[in-house]
Amino acid sequence: MTEQATRTRSAVEPDAGGHFHRSVGTVSATAINMTQMCGIGPFITIPLMVATMGGPQAVLGWVVGALLAMADGLVWAELGAAMPGAGGTYLYLREAFQYRSGKLMPFLFVWTAVISIPLIMSTGVIGLVQYLGFFFPHMNWWQIHLIGIGVVVVVVAALWRRIESIRVLTTALWIIMLVTVALTIAACYSHFSAHLAFTYPAGAWHLNGHFFTGLGAGLLIAVYDYLGYNTTAYMGDELKNPGRAMPRSIIYSIIGMMVIYLALNIGVVGVVPWQHVATSSSVASLAVTTSWNHAAADVITVLIVVTAFGSVFAGLLGGSRVPYHAARDRVFFGVFSRLHPTGGFPYVALLVMGVLTAAGSLLNLTTVINMLTTVAVLVQSIAQIVALTVLRRRQPELHRPYRQWLYPVPSILALAGWIYVYKSATGLSIVLSLVWIVGGLLVFLGWAKINRSWPFGPVRVREAYLEVQRAAGDQTAAPAPAAPA
């Protein structure tokens, strides 16, 4: 049928109680990203990476993963700097795809994010409990999962406060993470064996089908470990000078974590034979015990547990802003738009995503990694690359404090990389991701029918950031405005 676009002109700021506080600078933003990126990730996935790649050549997975993260990070950097707001991908898809498909793409993203973000956080909980097993090796099934649920409760309680106090706590957790990694690396390299680290099994570098299959599976793991470089994109309303802080925090955190992951992987296999690394459940504790002693390993394990807590903390901090912003735009359930009356944080979204994180902690680690990655690739990663190109064409006058270097080369590389990652996932994960998206489409059609939205109503186009930019009469991108009633 014929679609008639209706444009609104007025830019509406968030209503009373709907403002965040811009108090997070580049250092704190980088800390939030790196805390989320590292966390428990490398301490539980180094064994998976070594087993998947079949030897010390697992370092290649971290390098290729960093290249993909950087290419994709430059997509995030341009979009986030131009459209800072409490929503990240939701905002970018809302602005780019509204011209032809109304609210479909932002709805699908929120539908997916409400599951994928808690799944990411649940891996941190799983890893935390896994390392507690170093102290309590005989925990039964109930004890393991009760501890995991308890961890989520503590994280939610720690986030139940204003962003200013969270900034201090996040920076402290970042420092603990850096200390943990530094001590683990120091232990490994104090008794480092180049023979162990750089002796590869026969055929390790043969560029055959087995090599590329292993690289694809390893890249899937690496992508999971680098996830988090975009955390501050979900907190654009809380960044000071987001046009500067957003791209720098993304780029700095990817480079920093690549160095850390390489140092950790090489250091661990330089102390413990890679065959033992591939089967270890607490590889960092094993490496420190081998290099130093059991008492030192106890200290490192405690720090790893705290670091894992920090990753869950940072992830729920940023992730809870996604359904909040969508609800404020009337693309999700209205209850998620509520802010705490004194703390000014989206408490309903925080509670719901906390519950889902606790539920995800009951699943198997490998299953969780595959499920969250395949879903995110389709609805977030690939969709954002398209969104960047669409917005450059549809809104060329939008102020962009940062423009993607060498555009469109990074976008093309990121697209190729994400397709490769998706094809490398397990068949079950691919099927589940498609089922989830089809379910989202059906729910959207029901929602659109009730609300008389596209495809059951006219497309309503509102170039929110351009409207604020024009109203302000300058070239500074403003905070994300709320949708009109």
Side-chain angles (χ1 to χ4, degrees):
M1 66 177 179
T2 304
E3 299 169 349
Q4 179 180 0
T6 303
R7 298 179 181 271
T8 60
R9 298 181 181 275
S10 60
V12 183
E13 289 292 332
D15 41 20
H19 291 284
F20 287 126
H21 302 282
R22 289 192 176 275
S23 58
V24 180
T26 299
V27 174
S28 295
T30 303
I32 290 171
N33 284 348
M34 291 185 68
T35 301
Q36 169 60 16
M37 290 172 73
C38 185
I40 196 68
F43 300 112
I44 59 175
T45 56
I46 284 177
L48 297 178
M49 180 72 83
V50 172
T52 297
M53 298 290 291
Q57 68 272 23
V59 294
L60 181 63
W62 302 117
V63 174
V64 177
L67 294 176
L68 175 56
M70 184 61 74
D72 189 60
L74 296 182
V75 175
W76 280 91
E78 176 170 326
L79 294 172
M83 296 176 288
T89 299
Y90 164 75
L91 297 178
Y92 318 146
L93 301 188
R94 183 194 71 187
E95 291 294 304
F97 292 99
Q98 62 180 322
Y99 301 96
R100 292 186 179 274
S101 58
K103 297 178 179 179
L104 172 61
M105 287 306 297
F107 181 93
L108 282 181
F109 168 70
V110 179
W111 169 263
T112 300
V114 168
I115 292 295
S116 62
I117 293 175
L119 282 177
I120 296 173
M121 299 309 100
S122 68
T123 62
V125 177
I126 293 170
L128 186 154
V129 178
Q130 188 172 305
Y131 266 83
L132 284 178
F134 183 75
F135 298 114
F136 310 105
H138 303 298
M139 289 190 296
N140 59 37
W141 188 92
W142 285 105
Q143 291 170 326
I144 289 172
H145 293 302
L146 283 175
I147 291 173
I149 293 172
V151 168
V152 177
V153 171
V154 173
V155 169
V156 172
L159 286 168
W160 204 266
R161 64 196 72 247
R162 296 181 70 86
I163 186 65
E164 288 82 2
S165 58
I166 288 177
R167 178 186 59 189
V168 175
L169 181 56
T170 300
T171 302
L173 289 170
W174 180 46
I175 293 172
I176 292 173
M177 181 270 290
L178 292 177
V179 170
T180 304
V181 170
L183 288 175
T184 304
I185 292 174
C188 292
Y189 287 94
S190 65
H191 292 75
F192 182 77
S193 168
H195 175 72
L196 285 176
F198 302 112
T199 298
Y200 306 102
W205 297 106
H206 290 173
L207 302 182
N208 50 28
H210 178 74
F211 173 86
F212 287 106
T213 299
L215 179 61
L219 186 56
L220 193 67
I221 297 168
V223 163
Y224 158 76
D225 277 312
Y226 282 108
L227 287 177
Y229 56 84
N230 50 19
T231 301
T232 48
Y234 295 108
M235 303 169 56
D237 275 352
E238 295 155 273
L239 297 182
K240 292 187 295 187
N241 191 3
R244 179 184 180 91
M246 184 82 69
R248 290 191 176 198
S249 67
I250 291 172
I251 294 169
Y252 293 167
S253 59
I254 292 172
I255 294 174
M257 293 314 304
M258 181 187 68
V259 173
I260 289 174
Y261 290 155
L262 288 175
L264 277 173
N265 195 110
I266 294 172
V268 166
V269 296
V271 173
V272 181
W274 71 264
Q275 294 88 344
H276 295 170
V277 171
T279 58
S280 175
S281 60
S282 52
V283 68
S285 303
L286 173 62
V288 174
T289 300
T290 303
S291 294
W292 290 347
N293 53 56
H294 199 282
D298 289 344
V299 174
I300 293 295
T301 303
V302 170
L303 292 176
I304 290 173
V305 168
V306 175
T307 299
F309 177 90
S311 71
V312 180
F313 177 91
L316 282 180
L317 168 63
S320 61
R321 273 60 179 169
V322 177
Y324 158 78
H325 203 94
R328 200 180 72 179
D329 276 1
R330 295 170 177 81
V331 185
F332 208 57
F333 301 108
V335 68
F336 285 90
S337 65
R338 297 179 183 174
L339 291 179
H340 192 274
T342 58
F345 59 90
Y347 70 98
V348 174
L350 177 60
L351 286 174
V352 171
M353 299 188 91
V355 170
L356 292 174
T357 298
S361 69
L362 305 178
L363 302 176
N364 174 269
L365 178 63
T366 303
T367 300
V368 173
I369 291 176
N370 275 270
M371 286 175 59
L372 71 90
T373 304
T374 50
V375 172
V377 164
L378 291 178
V379 181
Q380 181 178 57
S381 303
I382 293 178
Q384 272 195 176
I385 295 169
V386 177
L388 187 149
T389 301
V390 169
L391 286 169
R392 282 204 173 198
R393 181 171 61 88
R394 290 279 191 173
Q395 300 183 20
E397 69 272 34
L398 178 67
H399 178 57
R400 292 172 170 83
Y402 167 83
R403 297 178 70 89
Q404 186 185 90
W405 299 334
L406 302 177
Y407 174 84
V409 175
S411 292
I412 294 172
L413 292 176
L415 179 61
W418 288 125
I419 293 173
Y420 182 51
V421 167
Y422 188 79
K423 292 179 62 178
S424 300
T426 62
L428 177 61
S429 297
I430 293 175
V431 170
L432 289 175
S433 69
L434 294 175
V435 168
W436 183 255
I437 291 171
V438 170
L441 287 170
L442 295 176
V443 173
F444 171 78
L445 289 175
W447 176 89
K449 181 73 172 179
I450 294 172
N451 291 276
R452 298 180 181 179
S453 179
W454 181 92
F456 303 101
V459 172
R460 293 180 173 86
V461 175
R462 180 172 187 260
E463 297 171 330
Y465 285 89
L466 280 177
E467 291 178 5
V468 175
Q469 180 177 307
R470 291 162 183 159
D474 59 29
Q475 294 297 305
T476 302

